[in-house]
Amino acid sequence: MTALDWKPPVRPELADAEPYGAPQLDVPVALNTNENPYPPPSAVIADIAAAVARAAGELNRYPDRDFDALREDLAGYLATESGVRVDRAQIWAANGSNEVMLHLLQAFGGPGRVAMSFAPTYSMYPEYARDTHTGWVQGRRHDDFSFDFDHAAALIAEHRPSVVLLPSPNNPTGTALPHDVIGRLAELAGDGLVVIDEAYAEFRRAGTPSALELLDDHPNLVVTRTMSKAFAAAGLRLGYLTADARICDALRVVRLPYHLSATTQAAALAALAHAPVLLGQVDRLRAERDALVAWLREHGYDVADSDANFVLFGRFDNRHAVWQGLLDHGVLIREVGPEGWLRVSVGTPEEMQAFTDALTKVEQR
Ligand SMILES: Cc1ncc(COP(=O)(O)O)c(C=O)c1O
C-alpha cells in the first residue's frame, strides 16, 4: 500500500473534526483568549527562573506524583482569596483546568453516562465528552444569559447526568451564577457531580460569592480554578480543583503517571509565593472592564453584565465582518457565543483605546 492509498484509522467521530483553538495571530492587540495583559514583574521572573533551575538539577528523577507541596500551597492561596480553608487532599491539579476537566470526565463520565451544560457555555466541554465517550446534552440559558433553573431541572431529571459543567462567571457571557442556583442544582443532581468552573472567579464583582463557600454542604460539588487568567500565568499550564477528597482520589486513578512535570511544579510554587503581586492588576482590570461595558452601552451596543475579564457585546447582523474589520485595524477579538455577538478580552488601557478606536472606525464604514 502506498502512502496515498492509506488512510489513518482515526475514530469516525474525529475524522472531520478541527483542532480546537482561537487563532494565534501575530497582531499588535490580542484580545481574544482572556489572558491577563500584564507580564510577571522582574522579581517574580527571577524567582521562577531560580526555582526551575533547582528543579533542573534533579531532572533525572521523576517528580512528586502527588504534588503534595503544590496542593498545600494551592489550599493556602484559596483560603486567602475566598476565606474557605480546605485540606490538601481536597485539591487536585493538572496541566490547565482543561486537563482537570478531562480527568473529571475520564473518571466520572464514560460510555452510557451523560455530561451536561447550558448554552452559551465554554466550547471545550463537548470536546471532553467526545474524547471520553461520554454522552453530551446541552440545554440553554435565558435570552439574557441568566440561568434557567426550571429548564435545567427538567433536563437533569430527564438525563440524570453524572457530570454537570457550569462556568461561573460564564464563558463567553461573563455571567456569574447565584449561590442559591448552585446549591439547588447540587441537590437536584443527586449522585452526579456539579462542576462550577471558576476560571475567572478572581475577577468577580464585589458581593459575588465563590462556590467554594458551598463545598461543605454539598459533597458532589466541584470547584475548578486556574492560574491562567487573573494569576497572569497562562503559559504555566496549571489548573486545579477543590472537592471532596474521594473525588480527588478517583482522579488519581485516571491521571497519567507524573503528569505534572518537576518544572511545572517548581514554577507554580514560585508563582504562588508571589500571588499578591501576580494578582496585583486584577482590580485595574476589573475597573477597565466596567469602563468598557459603560463605553459600549453609551455607544448603543447590547452588553452582557460581566464578572469576568471579558465582555460579550452585540448585536451585529454580520459579526464576522466586524471581527474582520477589527483585525484589519490590528485588533484581534473572538468570534464566539450566540450569533450576532462578539467577545473582547479586557487589556491594558492602551489596548482598550485601540479597540474602541478600531470599533468606531469599523462601524462607520
Ligand atoms: C470557562 C473556562 N474554563 C476553563 C478554561 C481553561 O483554562 P486553562 O486550561 O488555561 O486553565 C478556560 C479557558 O479559556 C475557560 O474559559
Side-chain angles (χ1 to χ4, degrees), residues 33-105:
T33 51
N34 303 339
E35 294 154 333
N36 188 320
Y38 298 102
S42 49
V44 181
I45 297 173
D47 273 6
I48 292 176
V52 170
R54 279 193 298 279
E58 294 178 24
L59 280 185
N60 54 317
R61 301 291 178 196
Y62 284 112
D64 176 4
R65 228 179 357 227
D66 292 319
F67 45 96
D68 280 334
L70 185 55
R71 286 168 123 178
E72 190 67 46
D73 284 11
L74 286 167
Y77 163 69
L78 286 180
T80 312
E81 198 273 335
S82 67
V84 178
R85 164 59 69 182
V86 297
D87 191 78
R88 75 165 177 223
Q90 292 178 259
I91 301 276
W92 182 251
N95 297 282
S97 49
N98 270 308
E99 192 182 50
V100 169
M101 231 85 72
L102 185 65
H103 286 167
L104 281 167
L105 286 202

Side-chain angles (χ1 to χ4, degrees), residues 184-215:
R184 285 159 69 204
L185 271 175
E187 295 293 333
L188 270 182
D191 291 340
L193 300 188
V194 172
V195 180
I196 306 299
D197 176 352
E198 290 198 344
Y200 302 97
E202 287 93 344
F203 295 108
R204 64 194 186 275
R205 287 172 292 180
T208 308
S210 161
L212 289 169
E213 293 167 28
L214 300 174
L215 275 175

Side-chain angles (χ1 to χ4, degrees), residues 120-121 123 145 171-173 301-302 311-328 331-344 355 359 362-363 365:
T121 186
S123 40
F145 309 131
N171 182 5
T173 65
Y301 294 97
D302 285 344
V311 172
L312 191 75
F313 68 105
R315 304 179 183 190
F316 304 103
D317 292 336
N318 183 350
R319 71 170 172 179
H320 182 71
V322 178
W323 178 86
Q324 184 64 54
L326 290 170
L327 185 56
D328 294 344
V331 179
L332 176 62
I333 67 165
R334 192 80 182 265
E335 194 178 353
V336 71
E339 197 45 57
W341 296 78
L342 291 166
R343 193 193 72 193
V344 59
F355 165 71
L359 186 62
V362 169
E363 288 279 81
R365 290 197 304 193

Side-chain angles (χ1 to χ4, degrees), residues 105 108-117 129 133-138 155-156 158-165 192-193:
L105 286 202
F108 295 96
R113 293 183 167 206
V114 163
M116 183 180 283
S117 192
H133 305 272
T134 308
W136 174 246
V137 174
Q138 189 159 277
L155 221 56
I156 288 174
E158 184 184 346
H159 296 281
R160 305 307 313 163
S162 57
V163 183
V164 178
L165 294 160
L193 300 188

Side-chain angles (χ1 to χ4, degrees), residues 139 144 227 239 297 316:
D144 67 356
M227 292 178 74
R297 285 188 177 144
F316 304 103

